[in-house]
Amino acid sequence: MGDPTVEGMYEDGTGLLTIGALARLTGVPVKTIRHWSDQDLLPPTARTPAGYRLYGPDAPARLEIVRSLRDLGITTAAIRSVLQRQRTVAETAAQWADALDAQIRTLQLQRAVLRSVAARGSAAEELPRMTELARLSDRERRRIITDFVDDALDGVHAPAYRSGLLAATPDLPDDPTPEQIGAWFELAALVREPELRAALRRLAEHSARTAPAPEQPPAAEPDAAGAERNAAAQEEAAVHVAELMRVRGEAALAAGIAPDSPAAEPVVAELVAAWIPTQTGTADPPAEDGPQARARLLEQLETAAEPAVERYWQLLCTLTGRPAPPSWGPAGTWTAAALRAHPRPYRLDRSAFEAADPDRVLHAYEQVVRDVGALVAAVSPQDLALPTPCAGWSVRQLLDHMVWENLMATSIAEDAPRDDLTADHLGDDHRAAFENSARAALAAFTGSGMLHRTYGPYEAPGAMLVQQVVVELLAHGWDLARATGAPTGLAPEVAEETLAAARRIYGAAPRTEGSSFAPERPAPPGASAPDRLAAFLGRDPA
């Protein structure tokens, strides 16, 4: 077989190529060459007498240029302008690179939307709204958040708080992840919720109340640089205190320290002392730990305890790629309860920490569990709905709490504190649930060394923590006995020492809203130790 170029040359001797020869030489199909010729991208040099196209020697190179530009996605009109010297290849490449960037962003967004739809299991009815939200420009997305903030804070003079909200307005990245697309969908829905608007308004009103009065002179150097340094230092201090509260609250929970027990007072005092310096520059800042300082800190915590606001900031962090702030809900709840239970400082009597004898505590636990377990075993399914002396608790709820006490003490002994207080710990068999939890607790007390260890930043003895469980079980056993009509003279061998332990542990703690127990009530003459314990903890033994 000869040279295809020579074989395809027209026989007039001019060296022109037929369309078939050009196709064989370049590998471009005849149909494609004809199409590009018709679009004036590759005009023929001449035609045969029969009207067939003939191409000159420069046609293969021109055809390669056309093919390369088409492979890059450049349109026919743009290629024609290049071939006709109206635009350079560099200019055309820059223009189409920009166009491809925009197309890639669109495709990336579409992909992220589809991934998010698949992950969320979105219904067909949601698709139009999701697609519409995804197509918004950065400016349109910012407008949604700006309008939301303006509406939520309308009429509230809290410029610093407003500025902080607006400064956090997010932009979607060019290549968003499905999680970021999902966060944007959820955020766009969340800002339409009245609950979030009301929560942000409460926070803004609190900010307005605690902000310094306009005529108040600055507390530090008046120049702008100094003010900026002061603001940065204030923010850093606030972050430090928030982290300290989280750490101390989690440690107290891990140690099983009840927020209304004496062991909580040193934690509260430490947190208040760390928080007071952050209030410099606010209206009427507290100077020392006392009722005013504790009330204000409690107000701040209760104001900030807004699940919708916490979710709002979590979504913003997801959108911007920043790590979400740790949720310190349980620690915050503990801290708020401790502040309610300890509205004013008091001197801690550390004898409450030191008086628990491990052997006697273990013996008391065994005796109380024996008698309370017998009461639990006697509870019928019909009894579970009965009311108890614990306000608002049925027998079933009371039993669930008693099982939780055992489970929580076990988890503390095993250095893996539980956080599922609101879960159902009773199941379908309340007798087995209590028996199993008590057996596990006893094994943990003896096998982990808990009775001889200390817990938490203030080294609360493990024996005292177990003693708290003994007090709780005996008190709630009394509640169960009263609810079911059983005798209340439980664990007579250890009831007196358990009452004495309760007085040591809870005697100095204020009986306030955050307390586990109501104010002490009088016990009738000749009342048994369990009856007197119930009276001490706020029950009516009459």
Side-chain angles (χ1 to χ4, degrees), residues 368 371-379 383 386-390 394-396 398-399 402 472-491 528 530-531 534 539-542:
V368 170
D371 286 9
V372 173
L375 278 180
V376 173
V379 172
D383 293 335
L386 292 174
T388 71
C390 284
S394 65
V395 166
R396 190 186 194 287
L398 179 69
L399 293 176
M402 293 163 70
E472 285 268 344
L473 289 180
L474 184 56
H476 290 314
W478 185 92
D479 294 331
L480 180 60
R482 289 296 292 263
T484 58
T488 59
L490 304 169
S528 67
D531 286 345
R539 276 74 161 170
D540 183 3

Side-chain angles (χ1 to χ4, degrees), residues 444-463:
F445 297 159
T446 55
S448 67
M450 179 179 185
L451 292 164
H452 301 277
R453 293 169 57 193
T454 59
Y455 295 81
Y458 295 96
E459 300 183 345

Side-chain angles (χ1 to χ4, degrees), residues 237-238 240-242 244-245 267-279 297:
H240 167 73
V241 171
L244 181 65
M245 287 182 183
V267 182
V268 173
E270 180 189 9
L271 296 180
V272 174
W275 166 82
I276 285 175
T278 68
Q279 300 306 291
L297 176 54

Side-chain angles (χ1 to χ4, degrees), residues 7-140:
E7 291 178 1
M9 285 183 179
Y10 188 55
E11 59 270 13
D12 66 353
T14 59
L16 298 178
L17 297 170
T18 65
I19 195 170
L22 184 58
R24 287 191 295 273
L25 182 64
T26 62
V28 178
V30 169
K31 183 179 179 181
T32 301
I33 296 174
R34 184 178 297 114
H35 175 66
W36 286 347
S37 292
D38 292 342
Q39 292 183 316
D40 201 25
L41 299 179
L42 190 70
T45 302
R47 288 184 180 266
T48 69
Y52 294 110
R53 307 172 207 229
L54 296 173
Y55 297 91
D58 65 334
R62 186 181 179 100
L63 186 57
E64 287 300 332
I65 293 173
V66 173
R67 177 163 60 177
S68 297
L69 292 173
R70 287 297 295 150
D71 287 346
L72 290 171
I74 297 178
T75 64
T76 299
I79 296 173
R80 188 182 302 116
S81 69
V82 170
L83 295 173
Q84 294 175 357
R85 314 280 186 189
Q86 296 172 353
R87 294 176 66 89
T88 66
V89 171
E91 291 171 339
T92 302
Q95 176 187 0
W96 283 94
D98 291 341
L100 281 176
D101 284 342
Q103 186 178 3
I104 288 170
R105 285 194 295 271
T106 299
L107 290 173
Q108 289 170 334
L109 186 59
Q110 290 172 347
R111 179 186 62 190
V113 170
L114 291 171
R115 295 290 187 200
S116 180
V117 167
R120 291 159 58 93
S122 303
E125 294 77 13
E126 294 181 276
L127 287 177
R129 174 65 176 166
M130 294 174 70
T131 305
E132 175 190 353
L133 288 171
R135 287 175 177 167
L136 295 176
S137 66
D138 289 342
R139 182 177 181 180
E140 289 169 328

Side-chain angles (χ1 to χ4, degrees), residues 318-358:
T318 299
L319 280 168
T320 56
R322 298 194 304 268
S327 175
W328 65 296
T333 300
W334 185 94
T335 304
L339 283 164
R340 283 191 292 270
H342 303 275
R344 59 185 59 84
Y346 65 91
R347 187 175 184 82
L348 177 65
D349 180 6
R350 295 197 65 90
S351 65
F353 283 24
E354 300 160 358
D357 176 77

